[in-house]
Amino acid sequence: MHPAPSTLLTPDDRYAFARAARLREIGIGEAPVQEFDDFAHRLALTLGARYAMVNFIDDNRQYFAGLYSPTAGQMVQLAPQQDQMDRVMARDHGYCPHVVVRRKALILEDVCDYPRFAGNPVVDELGIRSYAGAPLLDRKTGMALGTICVVDTDVQPWGRQGLQTIKAMAQQMADRVHHIESGLQH
């Protein structure tokens, strides 16, 4: 049985335009950042996941400013012509938009166990079976600017330890974003 269409909708995000403006103000979310790629690599290794992202969400898309993919076991420098995961994803794909709106971490050890999430396009298009993500909370506004997340094509038993880890690492990245902004102001 497929979930009702209303359960698949991307949540209403009343802060989308304000978030987009804030990301422009900080100067992130439009281009890859090597430091964020390195962070995504550490995140994937720490949680034992196939992919990891530092994701910023504006009013119409998600942008992976940090990305780790298992190609040759190394970080990948993605270009549009490469046959690898792209850095841009529609807002209605994936689970990060739910994390941003809720402003809370989300662990889905098996997305198929949750009718609300099992019908997401990333399940069929990319084969995603598990997800763990946490919001990047902005110190100035309190809004979630994006997420850090890991995804895998296999079911992953992240449990409470995975939840604690993703939350702690999200705080590290949020602190880094704050320092980046502070550096721009000096």
Side-chain angles (χ1 to χ4, degrees):
M1 181 172 167
H2 291 283
S6 63
T7 62
L8 300 180
L9 295 177
T10 302
D12 182 38
D13 186 354
R14 64 183 180 176
Y15 296 107
F17 292 107
R19 179 180 315 102
R22 182 73 175 120
L23 290 170
R24 284 190 301 275
E25 180 183 329
I26 297 170
I28 57 174
E30 292 289 326
V33 177
Q34 185 61 51
E35 177 183 358
F36 293 177
D37 283 345
D38 295 343
F39 181 90
H41 185 204
R42 278 196 329 272
L43 182 61
L45 290 174
T46 301
L47 285 167
R50 185 175 198 111
Y51 302 98
M53 287 74 89
V54 177
N55 184 17
F56 296 101
I57 301 173
D58 63 22
D59 51 323
N60 61 22
R61 69 181 180 128
Q62 303 178 64
Y63 185 79
F64 305 126
L67 177 64
Y68 174 79
S69 176
T71 304
Q74 300 176 6
M75 271 90 43
V76 292
Q77 301 299 321
L78 296 179
Q81 69 273 15
Q82 288 179 308
D83 184 27
Q84 299 172 7
M85 182 187 279
D86 195 7
R87 288 189 184 257
V88 176
M89 184 180 283
R91 280 193 74 247
D92 64 348
H93 282 53
Y95 310 104
C96 290
H98 295 272
V99 171
V100 164
V101 169
R102 292 169 19 130
R103 296 181 64 236
K104 293 182 181 178
L106 177 64
I107 301 288
L108 301 171
E109 293 178 345
D110 184 349
V111 298
C112 295
D113 287 344
Y114 303 89
R116 177 178 188 180
F117 298 116
N120 195 286
V122 297
V123 174
D124 293 333
E125 294 174 17
L126 303 175
I128 300 304
R129 284 296 299 272
S130 55
Y131 170 90
L136 297 173
L137 300 176
D138 182 27
R139 286 187 188 177
K140 182 176 177 180
T141 65
M143 91 177 95
L145 298 174
T147 67
I148 63 164
C149 71
V150 292
V151 295
D152 208 305
T153 54
D154 294 320
V155 173
Q156 292 290 340
W158 285 311
R160 183 169 295 281
Q161 181 63 43
L163 176 64
Q164 292 171 343
T165 299
I166 196 95
K167 288 168 65 174
M169 292 188 78
Q171 183 59 54
Q172 292 172 17
M173 179 51 65
D175 290 345
R176 187 63 197 126
V177 168
H178 176 73
H179 291 303
I180 289 169
E181 180 182 26
S182 296
L184 294 174
Q185 295 175 354
H186 293 105

